[in-house]
Amino acid sequence: MGIDHLAVVEEHSGSFTGAVTGNLGAPVAACPGWTVDDLVAHLAEVRAWWTAVVPAKGAYPGEAAARRAADTGPDRVAGWREISARYVAVREEHPRSAGPDAPGWAWWTEERSATAAALVSRQAHEAVVHRRDAWRAAGVVRSIPAGPAAGGVDEFPERFLDGVPWAGGPAVPELVATDTGGRWLVGTDGSGEPARWAEGAAGGAADARVSGSAQQLYLLLWRRVGVGEVEVAGDRSKAEALLGWPDLSRRGLVRGVRRPGPAGSRRVRGARSRPDSGRCAP
């Protein structure tokens, strides 16, 4: 049985709310220059944007409406809670009216379209990582379940491998989750940009093996932990170069072409001006 990503969204969004309540002024270590207040506004904007995707029925949603929907009002936490609840309600109702495979706009496919399940999975990972950010800002370490963490490692090479032209030559690290047994080859033979490779594509000749729990690998990809917190066997420099290559501020790019991003890239009423949201991906 697969992961119920909408349940993950609900659970981790609720935990996120608990972490941020009464702690809006605290700095967020993973997001340089941000406070928890900025983090709440960011997640509210993202959640409102993907709520607006649903009724658009595969079209690019109206940005003005999405920005208005992202306004938390004077009570940041109460506004966030309402925006999050609206997303869950819309997502629960949509499959009943439009069918489980109804398409929605997505930036990570050539067709600019993905299924409802794929769109919800993206929001699940947004909630999981930022829930950790919020609790860390509150001085509490919360673990991430192995299932969602492994799913997040699986998602990353499919949706976030993008950056400046690769000039690092051949590099093929293998990621190995020691608790779930998951394995992922991500690399390049030097003739193109890094991409996910099918199992066996490297002929068993990975340059390096990066091993850790699914949680450690997940947080490594999202730059919440460093390479020093996992085990690296083989060519460490190639592993570090490739893991550091994705430009997380370029989310919304497909094959190097900039696409419209979520409302979080613009000023929203009720929100203070913040650093670029790419500093606090996902």
Side-chain angles (χ1 to χ4, degrees):
M1 182 177 180
I3 296 171
D4 183 342
H5 285 108
L6 192 57
V8 172
V9 170
E10 289 190 86
E11 177 186 351
H12 287 261
S13 296
S15 181
F16 175 87
T17 302
V20 303
T21 300
N23 197 41
L24 294 177
V28 180
C31 312
W34 281 30
T35 64
V36 171
D37 182 69
D38 295 317
L39 184 63
V40 177
H42 163 70
L43 195 52
E45 291 167 11
V46 171
R47 193 65 55 82
W49 168 263
W50 290 106
T51 302
V53 164
V54 178
K57 299 179 180 179
Y60 182 76
E63 292 193 27
R67 288 198 299 272
R68 288 193 298 271
D71 181 10
T72 61
D75 187 330
R76 182 75 82 199
V77 176
W80 144 254
R81 189 183 294 112
E82 180 179 338
I83 289 168
S84 183
R86 186 184 308 129
Y87 172 83
V88 172
V90 168
R91 272 297 171 200
E92 286 178 336
E93 172 57 30
H94 187 62
R96 290 194 285 267
S97 60
D101 297 322
W105 184 87
W107 49 260
W108 59 81
T109 71
E110 292 291 347
E111 299 78 18
R112 308 295 182 261
S113 178
T115 64
L119 296 174
V120 173
S121 75
R122 173 85 288 277
Q123 283 312 289
H125 294 301
E126 191 93 31
V128 168
V129 175
H130 287 322
R131 171 253 199 179
R132 179 185 183 274
D133 292 338
W135 277 111
R136 292 277 294 184
V140 178
V141 177
R142 293 285 177 91
S143 62
I144 297 173
V153 178
D154 198 58
E155 176 205 40
F156 193 94
E158 298 293 341
R159 300 177 183 174
F160 293 96
L161 279 185
D162 190 65
V164 299
W166 174 259
V172 188
E174 179 183 33
L175 306 179
V176 180
T178 55
D179 51 348
T180 67
R183 292 174 177 269
W184 300 266
L185 277 173
V186 181
T188 173
D189 61 6
S191 64
E193 294 187 349
R196 183 170 185 172
W197 286 19
E199 187 175 353
D207 299 310
R209 181 165 287 107
V210 181
S211 303
S213 67
Q215 173 181 271
Q216 287 175 309
L217 297 179
Y218 186 38
L219 295 176
L220 174 67
L221 290 172
W222 285 114
R223 298 173 188 167
R224 266 52 180 188
V225 301
V227 176
E229 297 188 43
V230 295
E231 182 178 341
V232 180
D235 194 328
R236 186 184 189 91
S237 65
K238 287 191 176 184
E240 290 181 336
L242 196 141
L243 291 169
W245 173 73
D247 182 351
L248 301 184
S249 69
R250 288 159 58 93
R251 33 189 301 195
L253 297 182
V254 178
R255 293 188 183 274
V257 179
R258 184 165 295 281
R259 297 294 168 188
S265 63
R266 301 194 178 193
R267 183 74 180 270
V268 178
R269 290 184 301 113
R272 294 186 288 107
S273 178
R274 298 185 311 285
D276 176 23
S277 62
R279 295 189 185 184
C280 206

